[in-house]
Amino acid sequence: MSAPPKEVISELEALCQTVEHHSRLYYRDDKPEIPDQEYDRLFDRLLEIEKQWPELITPDSPSQRVGSEPLSGFVQVVHELPMLSLDKIVSFEELQRFEARIQKRLESEADISYSCEPKVDGVAVSLLYEEGVLIRGATRGDGAIGEDITHNVKTIRDIPLRLSGKQIPRRLEVRGEIFMTRAGFLIMNEKAIESGDKVFVNPRNAAAGTLRQLDSRITARRPLTMFCYSHGVLEGGEQPSTLSEVFECFDHWGLPVNPARHVCKGVHASYDYCQDLLKQRDHLDYEIDGAVIKVNRFELQDSLGMNARTPRWAMAYKFPAEEVATVLNDVEFQVGRTGTITPVARLEPVFVGGVTVSNATLHNMDEVERLGVRISDTVVVRRAGDVIPKIVSVVKSARKKGARNISAPDKCPICRSDIEHNEEEVLMRCTGGLFCRAQRTQSIIHFASRPAMDIDGLGIKLIEQLVDREILKSVADIYSLDVDTLSNLERMAEKSAGNLVSAIEKSKQVPLARVIFALGIREVGEATAQSLANAFGELDAIINASAESLEEIQDIGNIVAHHIRAFFDENHNLEIIDKLLKAGVRPIESAPINKDELPLNGRTYVVTGTLEAMGRSQAKEKLQQLGARVAGSVSAKTDWVIAGSGAGSKLSKAEELGIEIIDEAAFLSLLEQHDILV
Ligand code: IVH
C-alpha cells in the first residue's frame, strides 16, 4: 500500500479544522456561516480521505463525533485521583457552621471567598486530555473506578476533541457534569413517542441511559451537553491558584463552563446566591438539585483536606427534591367540561419541587396501565420546572399485599349516564351533556374564565356552591345573579357581592371571539373562535353557517365543523344563547375579514415570559387580530417567539430549533406598525 501523498495529509488537516470550526458555529453558537450543503461537502470530502487512508484518522477528527460500531461491553477505568462526593446542607445555619469549622481549622476569622455554582443534575464524568487531545472519557463510578465512555463522550458537540488557545497543559483531567437540557429532553421524548420508542422519566435518567449506550451512534443523536467544574490531574503548564482561575482557563481552552457560577465572599453572599438560584430554578433550561459552595483558593483547600469521602472545603446546598416517593391513596374519576373522564390520583400529601402535592393527573387508562399502578402503591411523584405534578413510576418492590387494581368506571361517576369510549384517543366521555352536574359546573367555570367572558370574582369555589344550590343551571343564569342572592352565600360579603355584580355587568360587552370561545363548543379553542369571528363577523352568521362554509375556514376541518354545527343544532344551546342575548350580552361584532389579507396570516407565534405592557392573553388576542396563530408550545412549526423577561425553557427550545426570537420592544413596534393599540 502506498503512503498518502503530502497534499492529502495537509488537505485533511485543513479539513479537520474547518469542519470543526463550522460545526461549532452550527451546533454550539447557532450561527452557521456557510450553507448546510457546503458543510456537507467538506465533511464528505473529509470522510472520503479517511476512508482511503484510515491511518490518517486522528482522535480529534470531526468524523469521530458521529459514533461508531457498538462495543461489546464497558472497560473499567481507575481514576488517578479519586472523584469525591459532597456533604449536604439545607439551611443558612448549617452553612454558617460549615464556615465556622473552616475558620477554626484555618485559625482565621477572615471572610472566605467561595466559588458558588449550580449543582447540575446529570452524570459526573472525567475527561482526559493529553497534549490537548481528548483521549478518554470515563464515568465517576464509585469515585475510585468508573467506566470508559470515550466513544460516547466524543459524540457530544460541546466537548472539544482538541483544546484550543494558549498554554495547554501536557496532561489535563477535566471533571464535570454531562446532562440533557429540558428542551432537548422534551424534543427527544416527543420523537420517541412518535416512533414508539421508550420514553425517559426525566432528563437525568435520559443522560445516564444515553451515556451507558454501547452503540455511540445512538448517543450521537441524543442532545447531551456538559458543564466542567473542576480538574483532576494537571501536568505541564501553570498551576492555577483558585478555582475561578481554572474556570477562566477552561473557558479559554474551549471547555464548556456554567455562566451561572459566581465567586461570593463570606456565607451571607453565598447564601444569597443559593436563594437567587432557587428562584431561577424553574427558568433554567437544565435541572439542578442545589448549589455547590467551594472554597475558591486551592491553598486553603489543601490545608483543609478531607474527611473519609468528602472534602472539608465544599458543600452541596440542596434544594427541595423534584421527585419524591409517596403513597397512592385512591384514584378518582373527574369529569371535565366536555365530558372527558380523567383518572386523578389522590396522594398522601408530599412536599415536592417546593410545594405540597396531594393530587396528580393520571391522564387516561392507558397511562394507568403503562405505569402498572395499583391503589396503596408507593409511587414516585415529580414536579419540576413549573409543570403539573405527575406520577412517573411505581416502586413495585414496596407493593403491599392486597394492593387494589384500578378499574375504569362503567357509568359517569357524577350523573350515572353512559360512557362513550373513544378508541383512537384512549378517552372516556360522559354522554350526559349539561344534564351532568360536573359538565355544567365546568362549562360555567370555562365561561367565566379570563380568556372567555373574564368575570372577575366568579371563581371555581363560588361556582360550585351556586351549582350545588341550583342557583346556576346554565351559563345564562349568571346574568340573573343579584347582590341579595350572592350575599346570602357562604363567605360572601355585601361588598364583594356588589363587585361581582359589576363584573358580570361589564362582561356583557366583549369581542365576539371571546363569546364564541366562552360557549365551550367542543374543540373550539381561542384561535378557532377568533377565526370564526374574523370570517363571519357576527354571531347570527356563525349560528347559521353550513358545515361546508365552516370548513372553508382555514384550520377548521370536518370534525370541528361537525362539532360546531352539532352545537348550534341543539335547541338547548340556542335557548341559552337567546337567554344570554335577552339578558343584555352584546358581543362586539365587526365586518367579516378575509383572513388572507391579514398581515400575520399563516404565521405561528409563541409568547413566553413576562411582558411589561400587557398580559400574555392580551398579547395573544392582539396577534390573533392580525391573523397569526398563537401556539402554547414551541415546535418546528413555530415562526416567531416573543420573549418577555424571565423566559425559560420555551426560549431555549426556540434557540435550539433556530426559531426567530423577538423581545417586547420589537413586538410593540410590530403592533404599532399595524395600528393595534396597546
Ligand atoms: S464538585 C469535591 N461541582 O454533585 C467536589 N459537583 O455530590 C465534588 N455536581 O458527583 C464535585 N454539579 O455529579 C461539583 N458544580 C458542581 C456540580 C457537582 C453537579 C455533582 C457531581 C458530584 C456530586 C457531588
Short mmCIF file of all heavy atoms in Angstrom, two decimals, residues 8-58:
data_model
loop_
_atom_site.label_atom_id
_atom_site.label_comp_id
_atom_site.label_asym_id
_atom_site.label_seq_id
_atom_site.Cartn_x
_atom_site.Cartn_y
_atom_site.Cartn_z
N VAL A 8 -2.45 15.38 0.42
CA VAL A 8 -3.65 14.82 1.05
C VAL A 8 -3.59 15.02 2.56
O VAL A 8 -4.57 15.39 3.20
CB VAL A 8 -3.79 13.32 0.69
CG1 VAL A 8 -4.90 12.69 1.51
CG2 VAL A 8 -4.08 13.17 -0.79
N ILE A 9 -2.38 14.80 3.12
CA ILE A 9 -2.24 14.97 4.58
C ILE A 9 -2.59 16.40 4.96
O ILE A 9 -3.37 16.64 5.89
CB ILE A 9 -0.80 14.63 5.03
CG1 ILE A 9 -0.53 13.15 4.73
CG2 ILE A 9 -0.61 14.93 6.51
CD1 ILE A 9 0.87 12.67 5.01
N SER A 10 -2.05 17.37 4.21
CA SER A 10 -2.35 18.75 4.63
C SER A 10 -3.80 19.13 4.30
O SER A 10 -4.42 19.89 5.03
CB SER A 10 -1.36 19.76 4.05
OG SER A 10 -1.14 19.48 2.71
N GLU A 11 -4.34 18.54 3.23
CA GLU A 11 -5.76 18.82 2.94
C GLU A 11 -6.64 18.33 4.09
O GLU A 11 -7.54 19.03 4.56
CB GLU A 11 -6.20 18.14 1.63
CG GLU A 11 -7.63 18.54 1.25
CD GLU A 11 -8.20 17.72 0.09
OE1 GLU A 11 -7.46 16.95 -0.54
OE2 GLU A 11 -9.41 17.87 -0.17
N LEU A 12 -6.31 17.12 4.58
CA LEU A 12 -7.12 16.55 5.66
C LEU A 12 -6.99 17.39 6.94
O LEU A 12 -7.98 17.66 7.62
CB LEU A 12 -6.71 15.10 5.93
CG LEU A 12 -7.56 14.39 6.98
CD1 LEU A 12 -9.01 14.26 6.54
CD2 LEU A 12 -7.01 13.00 7.31
N GLU A 13 -5.77 17.82 7.21
CA GLU A 13 -5.56 18.66 8.41
C GLU A 13 -6.43 19.91 8.34
O GLU A 13 -7.12 20.27 9.28
CB GLU A 13 -4.10 19.08 8.51
CG GLU A 13 -3.29 18.18 9.41
CD GLU A 13 -1.80 18.53 9.37
OE1 GLU A 13 -1.46 19.69 9.01
OE2 GLU A 13 -1.02 17.63 9.67
N ALA A 14 -6.38 20.53 7.16
CA ALA A 14 -7.17 21.77 6.98
C ALA A 14 -8.65 21.47 7.10
O ALA A 14 -9.40 22.21 7.75
CB ALA A 14 -6.85 22.38 5.62
N LEU A 15 -9.06 20.34 6.50
CA LEU A 15 -10.49 19.98 6.56
C LEU A 15 -10.95 19.76 7.99
O LEU A 15 -12.03 20.21 8.38
CB LEU A 15 -10.74 18.70 5.75
CG LEU A 15 -10.96 18.88 4.26
CD1 LEU A 15 -10.95 17.52 3.57
CD2 LEU A 15 -12.28 19.59 3.97
N CYS A 16 -10.12 19.07 8.79
CA CYS A 16 -10.47 18.80 10.18
C CYS A 16 -10.76 20.12 10.90
O CYS A 16 -11.76 20.26 11.59
CB CYS A 16 -9.35 18.08 10.91
SG CYS A 16 -9.35 16.33 10.60
N GLN A 17 -9.86 21.07 10.69
CA GLN A 17 -10.02 22.36 11.37
C GLN A 17 -11.27 23.10 10.89
O GLN A 17 -12.04 23.62 11.68
CB GLN A 17 -8.79 23.23 11.14
CG GLN A 17 -7.67 22.85 12.07
CD GLN A 17 -6.46 23.75 11.88
OE1 GLN A 17 -6.58 24.86 11.35
NE2 GLN A 17 -5.30 23.27 12.28
N THR A 18 -11.42 23.13 9.55
CA THR A 18 -12.56 23.88 9.01
C THR A 18 -13.89 23.25 9.45
O THR A 18 -14.80 23.95 9.88
CB THR A 18 -12.51 23.88 7.46
OG1 THR A 18 -11.17 24.07 7.08
CG2 THR A 18 -13.39 24.95 6.86
N VAL A 19 -13.98 21.94 9.34
CA VAL A 19 -15.25 21.29 9.69
C VAL A 19 -15.55 21.50 11.17
O VAL A 19 -16.68 21.82 11.55
CB VAL A 19 -15.22 19.78 9.33
CG1 VAL A 19 -16.44 19.06 9.89
CG2 VAL A 19 -15.16 19.59 7.82
N GLU A 20 -14.53 21.34 12.02
CA GLU A 20 -14.76 21.52 13.46
C GLU A 20 -15.21 22.97 13.74
O GLU A 20 -16.13 23.21 14.53
CB GLU A 20 -13.47 21.18 14.24
CG GLU A 20 -13.63 21.16 15.75
CD GLU A 20 -14.60 20.10 16.30
OE1 GLU A 20 -14.98 19.17 15.55
OE2 GLU A 20 -15.00 20.23 17.46
N HIS A 21 -14.58 23.91 13.05
CA HIS A 21 -14.93 25.33 13.23
C HIS A 21 -16.41 25.55 12.88
O HIS A 21 -17.18 26.12 13.65
CB HIS A 21 -14.02 26.18 12.35
CG HIS A 21 -14.42 27.62 12.24
ND1 HIS A 21 -14.26 28.49 13.29
CD2 HIS A 21 -14.99 28.31 11.23
CE1 HIS A 21 -14.72 29.68 12.93
NE2 HIS A 21 -15.17 29.60 11.68
N HIS A 22 -16.82 25.05 11.71
CA HIS A 22 -18.21 25.28 11.29
C HIS A 22 -19.20 24.47 12.11
O HIS A 22 -20.33 24.89 12.30
CB HIS A 22 -18.37 25.00 9.79
CG HIS A 22 -17.69 26.04 8.96
ND1 HIS A 22 -18.11 27.35 8.96
CD2 HIS A 22 -16.60 25.98 8.16
CE1 HIS A 22 -17.30 28.05 8.18
NE2 HIS A 22 -16.37 27.24 7.68
N SER A 23 -18.74 23.33 12.58
CA SER A 23 -19.64 22.51 13.40
C SER A 23 -19.92 23.23 14.72
O SER A 23 -21.03 23.22 15.23
CB SER A 23 -19.00 21.14 13.58
OG SER A 23 -19.22 20.64 14.83
N ARG A 24 -18.90 23.91 15.27
CA ARG A 24 -19.12 24.69 16.50
C ARG A 24 -20.08 25.84 16.25
O ARG A 24 -20.98 26.10 17.05
CB ARG A 24 -17.80 25.32 16.96
CG ARG A 24 -17.05 24.44 17.89
CD ARG A 24 -15.64 24.95 18.04
NE ARG A 24 -15.00 24.10 19.02
CZ ARG A 24 -14.87 24.42 20.30
NH1 ARG A 24 -15.28 25.58 20.75
NH2 ARG A 24 -14.32 23.60 21.14
N LEU A 25 -19.85 26.53 15.12
CA LEU A 25 -20.74 27.66 14.82
C LEU A 25 -22.17 27.17 14.69
O LEU A 25 -23.11 27.81 15.14
CB LEU A 25 -20.32 28.33 13.50
CG LEU A 25 -19.03 29.12 13.55
CD1 LEU A 25 -18.67 29.63 12.17
CD2 LEU A 25 -19.17 30.30 14.51
N TYR A 26 -22.33 26.00 14.12
CA TYR A 26 -23.67 25.47 13.87
C TYR A 26 -24.31 24.94 15.15
O TYR A 26 -25.39 25.35 15.54
CB TYR A 26 -23.58 24.36 12.81
CG TYR A 26 -24.92 23.80 12.41
CD1 TYR A 26 -25.66 24.37 11.39
CD2 TYR A 26 -25.45 22.70 13.09
CE1 TYR A 26 -26.90 23.86 11.03
CE2 TYR A 26 -26.69 22.18 12.73
CZ TYR A 26 -27.40 22.76 11.71
OH TYR A 26 -28.63 22.25 11.36
N TYR A 27 -23.61 24.02 15.82
CA TYR A 27 -24.23 23.33 16.95
C TYR A 27 -24.17 24.13 18.25
O TYR A 27 -25.09 24.12 19.04
CB TYR A 27 -23.56 21.98 17.20
CG TYR A 27 -23.91 20.96 16.14
CD1 TYR A 27 -23.02 20.62 15.14
CD2 TYR A 27 -25.16 20.34 16.16
CE1 TYR A 27 -23.35 19.69 14.17
CE2 TYR A 27 -25.50 19.42 15.19
CZ TYR A 27 -24.59 19.08 14.21
OH TYR A 27 -24.94 18.16 13.27
N ARG A 28 -23.03 24.79 18.48
CA ARG A 28 -22.89 25.42 19.79
C ARG A 28 -23.40 26.86 19.78
O ARG A 28 -24.09 27.30 20.68
CB ARG A 28 -21.43 25.38 20.23
CG ARG A 28 -21.28 25.54 21.73
CD ARG A 28 -19.86 25.68 22.15
NE ARG A 28 -19.24 26.86 21.53
CZ ARG A 28 -18.03 27.27 21.83
NH1 ARG A 28 -17.29 26.60 22.67
NH2 ARG A 28 -17.53 28.34 21.25
N ASP A 29 -23.05 27.61 18.74
CA ASP A 29 -23.37 29.04 18.74
C ASP A 29 -24.64 29.36 17.97
O ASP A 29 -25.09 30.50 17.99
CB ASP A 29 -22.21 29.85 18.14
CG ASP A 29 -20.90 29.54 18.84
OD1 ASP A 29 -20.97 29.09 20.00
OD2 ASP A 29 -19.82 29.73 18.24
N ASP A 30 -25.21 28.37 17.28
CA ASP A 30 -26.40 28.61 16.48
C ASP A 30 -26.20 29.69 15.44
O ASP A 30 -27.11 30.44 15.11
CB ASP A 30 -27.58 29.03 17.37
CG ASP A 30 -28.35 27.82 17.85
OD1 ASP A 30 -28.21 26.77 17.21
OD2 ASP A 30 -29.09 27.95 18.84
N LYS A 31 -24.96 29.84 14.96
CA LYS A 31 -24.69 30.91 13.99
C LYS A 31 -23.90 30.35 12.81
O LYS A 31 -22.73 30.67 12.63
CB LYS A 31 -23.85 32.01 14.66
CG LYS A 31 -24.63 32.87 15.61
CD LYS A 31 -23.87 34.18 15.86
CE LYS A 31 -24.55 35.01 16.90
NZ LYS A 31 -24.26 34.60 18.28
N PRO A 32 -24.52 29.51 12.00
CA PRO A 32 -23.76 28.96 10.87
C PRO A 32 -23.32 30.04 9.90
O PRO A 32 -24.06 31.01 9.69
CB PRO A 32 -24.77 28.00 10.22
CG PRO A 32 -26.10 28.42 10.71
CD PRO A 32 -25.91 29.08 12.03
N GLU A 33 -22.12 29.88 9.37
CA GLU A 33 -21.61 30.89 8.42
C GLU A 33 -21.71 30.39 7.00
O GLU A 33 -21.62 31.16 6.06
CB GLU A 33 -20.14 31.19 8.74
CG GLU A 33 -19.97 32.24 9.79
CD GLU A 33 -18.52 32.42 10.18
OE1 GLU A 33 -17.64 31.70 9.65
OE2 GLU A 33 -18.28 33.28 11.05
N ILE A 34 -21.81 29.07 6.85
CA ILE A 34 -21.87 28.53 5.49
C ILE A 34 -23.15 27.72 5.33
O ILE A 34 -23.68 27.21 6.31
CB ILE A 34 -20.63 27.64 5.17
CG1 ILE A 34 -20.47 26.53 6.22
CG2 ILE A 34 -19.36 28.47 5.05
CD1 ILE A 34 -19.43 25.49 5.86
N PRO A 35 -23.65 27.59 4.10
CA PRO A 35 -24.87 26.80 3.90
C PRO A 35 -24.65 25.33 4.25
O PRO A 35 -23.51 24.85 4.18
CB PRO A 35 -25.17 26.94 2.41
CG PRO A 35 -24.19 27.88 1.86
CD PRO A 35 -23.12 28.15 2.85
N ASP A 36 -25.72 24.64 4.62
CA ASP A 36 -25.62 23.23 5.01
C ASP A 36 -24.95 22.37 3.94
O ASP A 36 -24.15 21.49 4.24
CB ASP A 36 -27.02 22.65 5.31
CG ASP A 36 -27.60 23.27 6.57
OD1 ASP A 36 -26.91 24.11 7.19
OD2 ASP A 36 -28.75 22.93 6.91
N GLN A 37 -25.27 22.67 2.67
CA GLN A 37 -24.70 21.83 1.59
C GLN A 37 -23.18 21.95 1.55
O GLN A 37 -22.48 20.98 1.30
CB GLN A 37 -25.21 22.23 0.19
CG GLN A 37 -26.67 22.02 -0.03
CD GLN A 37 -27.42 23.30 0.23
OE1 GLN A 37 -27.23 23.96 1.27
NE2 GLN A 37 -28.29 23.67 -0.70
N GLU A 38 -22.70 23.18 1.82
CA GLU A 38 -21.26 23.41 1.78
C GLU A 38 -20.60 22.62 2.91
O GLU A 38 -19.56 21.99 2.74
CB GLU A 38 -20.99 24.92 1.91
CG GLU A 38 -19.53 25.33 1.94
CD GLU A 38 -18.74 24.89 0.72
OE1 GLU A 38 -19.35 24.44 -0.27
OE2 GLU A 38 -17.49 24.97 0.77
N TYR A 39 -21.26 22.66 4.09
CA TYR A 39 -20.75 21.91 5.24
C TYR A 39 -20.70 20.42 4.89
O TYR A 39 -19.70 19.75 5.12
CB TYR A 39 -21.65 22.16 6.45
CG TYR A 39 -21.24 21.39 7.68
CD1 TYR A 39 -20.22 21.87 8.51
CD2 TYR A 39 -21.85 20.18 8.00
CE1 TYR A 39 -19.83 21.16 9.63
CE2 TYR A 39 -21.46 19.45 9.11
CZ TYR A 39 -20.45 19.94 9.93
OH TYR A 39 -20.05 19.23 11.03
N ASP A 40 -21.80 19.93 4.32
CA ASP A 40 -21.86 18.51 3.95
C ASP A 40 -20.75 18.14 2.96
O ASP A 40 -20.16 17.08 3.04
CB ASP A 40 -23.22 18.16 3.33
CG ASP A 40 -24.33 18.25 4.36
OD1 ASP A 40 -24.02 18.29 5.57
OD2 ASP A 40 -25.51 18.31 3.96
N ARG A 41 -20.51 19.07 2.04
CA ARG A 41 -19.49 18.80 1.01
C ARG A 41 -18.11 18.64 1.66
O ARG A 41 -17.38 17.70 1.38
CB ARG A 41 -19.48 19.94 -0.02
CG ARG A 41 -18.75 19.61 -1.32
CD ARG A 41 -18.60 20.84 -2.19
NE ARG A 41 -17.82 21.91 -1.55
CZ ARG A 41 -16.51 21.91 -1.44
NH1 ARG A 41 -15.79 20.91 -1.91
NH2 ARG A 41 -15.89 22.91 -0.84
N LEU A 42 -17.79 19.56 2.58
CA LEU A 42 -16.49 19.50 3.27
C LEU A 42 -16.38 18.21 4.08
O LEU A 42 -15.36 17.52 4.06
CB LEU A 42 -16.33 20.69 4.22
CG LEU A 42 -16.22 22.07 3.58
CD1 LEU A 42 -16.33 23.17 4.63
CD2 LEU A 42 -14.90 22.20 2.82
N PHE A 43 -17.48 17.88 4.77
CA PHE A 43 -17.48 16.70 5.63
C PHE A 43 -17.34 15.43 4.79
O PHE A 43 -16.59 14.51 5.14
CB PHE A 43 -18.76 16.69 6.47
CG PHE A 43 -18.65 15.87 7.72
CD1 PHE A 43 -17.41 15.58 8.29
CD2 PHE A 43 -19.78 15.38 8.35
CE1 PHE A 43 -17.30 14.84 9.45
CE2 PHE A 43 -19.68 14.62 9.51
CZ PHE A 43 -18.44 14.35 10.06
N ASP A 44 -18.04 15.40 3.65
CA ASP A 44 -17.96 14.22 2.78
C ASP A 44 -16.53 14.01 2.27
O ASP A 44 -16.03 12.89 2.21
CB ASP A 44 -18.91 14.35 1.59
CG ASP A 44 -20.36 14.17 2.03
OD1 ASP A 44 -20.57 13.67 3.16
OD2 ASP A 44 -21.28 14.55 1.28
N ARG A 45 -15.90 15.13 1.93
CA ARG A 45 -14.52 15.04 1.43
C ARG A 45 -13.60 14.48 2.53
O ARG A 45 -12.76 13.63 2.28
CB ARG A 45 -14.06 16.45 0.98
CG ARG A 45 -12.61 16.54 0.57
CD ARG A 45 -12.31 15.80 -0.73
NE ARG A 45 -10.89 15.80 -1.02
CZ ARG A 45 -10.23 14.76 -1.52
NH1 ARG A 45 -10.87 13.63 -1.81
NH2 ARG A 45 -8.94 14.84 -1.75
N LEU A 46 -13.82 14.98 3.75
CA LEU A 46 -13.02 14.50 4.89
C LEU A 46 -13.20 12.99 5.07
O LEU A 46 -12.24 12.24 5.20
CB LEU A 46 -13.47 15.26 6.14
CG LEU A 46 -12.78 14.96 7.46
CD1 LEU A 46 -12.70 16.25 8.27
CD2 LEU A 46 -13.53 13.95 8.30
N LEU A 47 -14.46 12.54 4.99
CA LEU A 47 -14.73 11.11 5.17
C LEU A 47 -14.10 10.28 4.05
O LEU A 47 -13.59 9.19 4.27
CB LEU A 47 -16.25 10.85 5.20
CG LEU A 47 -17.00 11.42 6.40
CD1 LEU A 47 -18.51 11.17 6.25
CD2 LEU A 47 -16.51 10.79 7.70
N GLU A 48 -14.13 10.88 2.85
CA GLU A 48 -13.58 10.19 1.68
C GLU A 48 -12.07 9.93 1.88
O GLU A 48 -11.58 8.83 1.67
CB GLU A 48 -13.83 11.08 0.46
CG GLU A 48 -13.53 10.43 -0.86
CD GLU A 48 -13.69 11.46 -2.01
OE1 GLU A 48 -13.71 12.68 -1.72
OE2 GLU A 48 -13.79 11.04 -3.14
N ILE A 49 -11.37 10.98 2.33
CA ILE A 49 -9.93 10.83 2.54
C ILE A 49 -9.66 9.81 3.64
O ILE A 49 -8.80 8.93 3.51
CB ILE A 49 -9.27 12.19 2.90
CG1 ILE A 49 -9.47 13.19 1.77
CG2 ILE A 49 -7.78 12.00 3.21
CD1 ILE A 49 -8.92 14.57 2.06
N GLU A 50 -10.43 9.91 4.73
CA GLU A 50 -10.20 8.99 5.85
C GLU A 50 -10.50 7.55 5.47
O GLU A 50 -9.90 6.62 6.01
CB GLU A 50 -11.05 9.41 7.06
CG GLU A 50 -10.51 10.68 7.72
CD GLU A 50 -11.22 11.03 9.02
OE1 GLU A 50 -12.29 10.45 9.29
OE2 GLU A 50 -10.70 11.88 9.75
N LYS A 51 -11.46 7.39 4.55
CA LYS A 51 -11.80 6.03 4.13
C LYS A 51 -10.65 5.43 3.33
O LYS A 51 -10.27 4.28 3.50
CB LYS A 51 -13.08 6.09 3.28
CG LYS A 51 -13.68 4.73 3.05
CD LYS A 51 -15.06 4.83 2.46
CE LYS A 51 -15.51 3.45 2.01
NZ LYS A 51 -16.49 3.52 0.96
N GLN A 52 -10.05 6.29 2.49
CA GLN A 52 -8.97 5.81 1.65
C GLN A 52 -7.69 5.56 2.46
O GLN A 52 -6.95 4.62 2.21
CB GLN A 52 -8.72 6.82 0.55
CG GLN A 52 -7.97 6.22 -0.62
CD GLN A 52 -7.93 7.21 -1.78
OE1 GLN A 52 -8.53 8.28 -1.74
NE2 GLN A 52 -7.19 6.84 -2.81
N TRP A 53 -7.44 6.46 3.46
CA TRP A 53 -6.22 6.32 4.27
C TRP A 53 -6.59 6.30 5.76
O TRP A 53 -6.41 7.31 6.46
CB TRP A 53 -5.23 7.45 3.98
CG TRP A 53 -4.57 7.29 2.65
CD1 TRP A 53 -3.59 6.41 2.33
CD2 TRP A 53 -4.85 8.04 1.46
NE1 TRP A 53 -3.23 6.53 1.00
CE2 TRP A 53 -3.99 7.54 0.43
CE3 TRP A 53 -5.72 9.07 1.13
CZ2 TRP A 53 -4.00 8.03 -0.86
CZ3 TRP A 53 -5.72 9.56 -0.15
CH2 TRP A 53 -4.87 9.04 -1.14
N PRO A 54 -7.11 5.18 6.24
CA PRO A 54 -7.58 5.14 7.63
C PRO A 54 -6.49 5.49 8.64
O PRO A 54 -6.78 5.96 9.73
CB PRO A 54 -8.02 3.68 7.82
CG PRO A 54 -8.16 3.11 6.46
CD PRO A 54 -7.27 3.89 5.56
N GLU A 55 -5.22 5.27 8.23
CA GLU A 55 -4.14 5.57 9.18
C GLU A 55 -4.04 7.06 9.48
O GLU A 55 -3.38 7.48 10.43
CB GLU A 55 -2.79 5.01 8.68
CG GLU A 55 -2.24 5.70 7.42
CD GLU A 55 -2.72 5.03 6.12
OE1 GLU A 55 -3.87 4.54 6.09
OE2 GLU A 55 -1.95 5.02 5.13
N LEU A 56 -4.71 7.88 8.66
CA LEU A 56 -4.66 9.33 8.89
C LEU A 56 -5.72 9.81 9.88
O LEU A 56 -5.75 10.96 10.28
CB LEU A 56 -4.86 10.08 7.57
CG LEU A 56 -3.73 9.99 6.55
CD1 LEU A 56 -4.06 10.85 5.33
CD2 LEU A 56 -2.41 10.42 7.15
N ILE A 57 -6.63 8.90 10.28
CA ILE A 57 -7.71 9.32 11.19
C ILE A 57 -7.11 9.66 12.55
O ILE A 57 -6.44 8.83 13.17
CB ILE A 57 -8.78 8.21 11.37
CG1 ILE A 57 -9.39 7.86 10.01
CG2 ILE A 57 -9.87 8.66 12.34
CD1 ILE A 57 -10.40 6.74 10.04
N THR A 58 -7.34 10.89 12.99
CA THR A 58 -6.83 11.32 14.31
C THR A 58 -7.98 11.24 15.32
O THR A 58 -9.14 11.31 14.93
CB THR A 58 -6.31 12.77 14.25
OG1 THR A 58 -7.38 13.59 13.77
CG2 THR A 58 -5.10 12.91 13.36
#
